[in-house]
Amino acid sequence: MDVAKLRIIAGAGAVFFGFAGVTTLTIACVIALIPLIGLLWSTVAVASILLFIACICVVVFLKPGKSTEEELDQFEHATADMLAELPFDTIAALVEKRPIAAATIAAAAGYFIVSNPEQASKGLQKLIDELM
């Protein structure tokens, strides 16, 4: 079997067994707290702790300390670098496989450059993101 397929199967197994493990530990915590505070409050306590951990993960994932403009600029530069390194064979293949999308991008590029040259790269970036 191919190494990539094994990695995908291993990742799916990790997700499944990780979910099963978290579920089992949650049930074990609830059962352990039942003699102390009862079934209802032990369930509420464990659920609250898990929701608190989930909120911390969301805050870390979203990085609310960064401004939207800063993130868009970083994303724009990363995409521009990626497109600059894109070989011409790949562009030709994209035109062959998806001619309507390529024509749409070319027409939009011309429109954005003529209508607003300063914001052309941002407009094209949004268009490419939506088409991909």
Side-chain angles (χ1 to χ4, degrees):
M1 189 177 283
D2 190 15
V3 175
K5 290 179 184 175
L6 286 175
R7 291 181 69 194
I8 291 172
I9 292 171
V15 168
F16 174 74
F17 288 113
F19 182 73
V22 168
T23 303
T24 304
L25 286 174
T26 303
I27 293 170
C29 288
V30 169
I31 291 172
L33 289 174
I34 287 175
L36 299 174
I37 56 177
L39 177 63
L40 175 67
W41 291 110
S42 63
T43 305
V44 169
V46 171
S48 298
I49 291 170
L50 290 175
L51 283 175
F52 179 72
I53 292 171
C55 289
I56 290 174
C57 291
V58 167
V59 167
V60 169
F61 175 73
L62 293 179
K63 295 180 186 176
K66 276 188 169 180
S67 69
T68 306
E69 291 296 323
E70 182 182 349
E71 284 191 22
L72 285 175
D73 286 340
Q74 286 178 349
F75 184 70
E76 179 180 313
H77 291 300
T79 305
D81 291 341
M82 181 192 72
L83 289 175
E85 295 173 1
L86 195 63
F88 289 107
D89 294 336
T90 306
I91 296 172
L94 177 67
V95 171
E96 288 176 7
K97 290 181 182 177
R98 302 174 196 263
I100 296 174
T104 304
I105 292 173
Y111 173 76
F112 285 134
I113 290 172
V114 170
S115 66
N116 193 356
E118 294 84 23
Q119 298 294 323
S121 63
K122 288 185 181 181
L124 287 173
Q125 180 64 38
K126 288 179 184 178
L127 177 69
I128 291 171
D129 290 341
E130 290 177 10
L131 288 176
M132 296 295 171

